[in-house]
Structures are given as structure tokens and as C-alpha cells.
Amino acid sequence: MSFSVSNRGDVCIVEVEGQLIVGNRQELKQKILDELEKGTRKVLVDFARTGYIDSSGLGVLVSLAKKMREMGGDLRLANLNDDLQTLFELTKLDTLFQISETRERALENF
Amino acid sequence: MTTRLTPVEQRQLDVRIPSDVQYIESIVEQVVLRCAARSFPRRHLALNIPVALTEALSNAILRGNHDDTTRSVHVRADVDSSRLVLEVRDEGTGFDLDACTEDPTTPENLLREDGRGLFLMRRLMDHVERFTDGGNVVRLTLRRA
């Protein structure tokens, strides 16, 4: 598992490679909190290269989304495969996040 | 180097791991490999098994054994062409499965960071049981669709 961070305009893009689970969720959280500290208010998490996500991973995304909204920002998601989409639908988190099919589509109206 | 599994190993996995979440991915990988060899559907291999087993293991490590690496978690998997049975045993005192399973999709729970693990386990497996047998055991059963 690894995370890569890049910027497109004022949007910080975090790509999750591998699993987002209990053993590494804090690393993702810290990376995004560091970006918030630097003043970033728009974060896009790209799951194109993600395997699976467990409840801890989902919980971190919820926690970060709440924090970002409190700070006047937004956290959005892109590139969920069918299995990840199902996971978000099962937990109704698809109603909480703005989810785009592709990174480009997410960036178009961010 | 590829290690060839014996016929029994192709069907069963029986391992003890320390209570450390870093072991989870390796266990999941070994179970998924065995299920792939039995032609379980792709969705089971990519979603149902990894997520449900990760939840069972993390519950055992973090809640059952309180993240105490001197305690171990015993994992057994038995797979054939019709179903997968997983047993995850920790050294805790157990819990009431029904009482502890919350619905994370309600408006009051949707924004909570926790509370989705047992719910996902039960939605992704055909059968989930919790019982005491030389430790606290969670048994997950998934029929090959």
C-alpha cells in the first residue's frame, strides 16, 4: 500500500494504491491533515489503483470529510470500481460523498 | 520462488498470528488464493472475502485481544467448491453479535467514524456466528454463488 499526493490547481489529489484498511488508514489521515495544515481546502481521493477498503478506511474518509466541511473545504472521491461502489452503497456513504467516475470529471467542477 | 501447496493446504488454512494488524493483508491474501483456486466469483474474491475477513481479524486483534501482541489470533479457513468457512478465534471474553451490530446507514449513524464492521461482515457473508470455544470465535460462511 502507498499514497501519492499531487496538485492540480487548488485541488490536492491523493491516490491510494493497494488497500485502505485498519493497518494504514492513519497514514492517509495524516497526509490529508498535513495538506489541510498547509491551507488546502479541496481534496480529491482517487481510488483507481485501490484494492479494497474496510470499515476503518471508510471511517477515516467520513472523519476527514466532516473536518474539511467544518473548515469550509470539501473532500471528493473518484474512480471507484464496481466493488468499491457497492461498498459505498451498502453503507449509504454514496449519499455523503460526491463521487465521480473519473479524475478528470471530478476536477471539472471542483 | 513459488511454494506448492499440498492438497490439504489447498483446502485449509490453519495459522496463529500475533495481535498486530500488519498481519491482516497476508492472511486475506492466503484465503483469497484458496478461494480463487476453487473458482469463487470475482466479486467474492475482490469484495466479500477481503472486507469481511479484515473486519473479523481487526475485531479480534483490536477488541478481543486489545491490540496486545503477546496474545494471538487463531485463523482457520476451510474451502471447497461449494463454500468457504472462516473461523477467527481471539483470547477475549466475547460479545453479543446482535446487540453489537448497528445500522450505520441511519441518519444519526451515517456520520460516525466507527460502527460499520459487524454490519459489513453480516452483509457480505451468508452466515455469521459468534460463540465461545477455547476463546471467542467468529465464524463466517460464504456459499460460492
Side-chain angles (χ1 to χ4, degrees):
Chain A
M1 178 285 311
S2 65
F3 304 106
S4 64
V5 179
S6 58
N7 289 284
R8 184 89 66 90
D10 59 351
V11 181
C12 170
I13 302 167
V14 181
E15 192 168 8
V16 180
E17 188 173 343
Q19 330 308 342
L20 176 57
I21 60 174
V22 61
N24 60 34
R25 72 195 196 280
Q26 288 300 341
E27 195 183 332
L28 174 70
K29 187 172 189 175
Q30 194 54 54
K31 262 197 195 321
I32 293 178
L33 290 177
D34 289 347
E35 292 299 322
L36 282 177
E37 193 73 20
K38 291 182 208 166
T40 300
R41 292 295 177 266
K42 295 179 181 178
V43 174
L44 175 64
V45 183
D46 187 334
F47 291 104
R49 302 168 75 185
T50 307
Y52 60 94
I53 303 175
D54 72 355
S55 65
S56 299
L58 293 174
V60 156
L61 294 172
V62 170
S63 163
L64 287 166
K66 280 196 304 189
K67 185 166 186 68
M68 293 206 62
R69 285 172 193 178
E70 284 165 13
M71 298 175 74
D74 199 7
L75 181 142
R76 297 184 184 180
L77 315 178
N79 275 320
L80 274 68
N81 63 31
D82 288 348
D83 301 320
L84 294 179
Q85 184 69 38
T86 297
L87 193 65
F88 276 75
E89 288 169 6
L90 276 177
T91 51
K92 287 201 177 162
L93 290 179
D94 60 323
T95 63
L96 189 67
F97 292 98
Q98 184 158 330
I99 300 172
S100 300
E101 286 183 12
T102 65
R103 179 187 294 200
E104 293 310 319
R105 192 162 295 173
L107 290 169
E108 273 170 18
N109 54 6
F110 205 158
Chain B
M1 187 180 75
T2 306
T3 305
R4 187 177 288 276
L5 299 179
T6 67
V8 171
E9 288 170 336
Q10 286 171 21
R11 181 190 162 105
Q12 296 177 335
L13 176 72
D14 190 329
V15 291
R16 283 180 197 275
I17 57 169
S19 292
D20 184 335
V21 294
Q22 299 304 329
Y23 287 90
I24 290 177
E25 279 194 68
S26 157
I27 297 293
V28 168
E29 191 179 335
Q30 292 179 60
V31 171
V32 166
L33 270 175
R34 284 163 173 80
C35 293
R38 300 283 174 171
S39 302
F40 273 59
R42 192 206 57 78
R43 169 59 65 100
H44 283 178
L45 303 175
L47 175 68
N48 301 66
I49 298 166
V51 175
L53 179 53
T54 298
E55 300 300 343
L57 289 168
S58 61
N59 273 352
I61 292 166
L62 300 176
R63 295 177 191 270
N65 288 350
H66 301 288
D67 212 13
D68 176 352
T69 52
T70 65
R71 296 180 173 192
S72 64
V73 174
H74 186 186
V75 186
R76 295 176 63 182
D78 190 289
V79 58
D80 63 25
S81 54
S82 65
R83 91 290 179 262
L84 164 69
V85 179
L86 293 162
E87 286 187 2
V88 177
R89 178 181 284 103
D90 62 54
E91 299 181 34
T93 53
F95 61 95
D96 183 326
L97 184 60
D98 287 331
C100 292
T101 305
E102 299 175 88
D103 181 355
T105 67
T106 61
E108 62 271 23
N109 286 340
L110 193 62
L111 285 169
R112 281 183 51 182
E113 189 172 353
D114 59 357
R116 295 181 180 85
L118 292 174
F119 172 86
L120 282 175
M121 234 191 274
R122 299 180 91 168
R123 291 299 300 266
L124 296 173
M125 290 282 123
D126 290 311
H127 198 47
V128 178
E129 304 158 83
R130 210 286 317 162
F131 54 94
T132 301
D133 178 16
N136 169 51
V137 185
V138 170
R139 180 187 289 154
L140 312 174
T141 304
L142 179 67
R143 288 188 296 275
R144 199 187 74 162

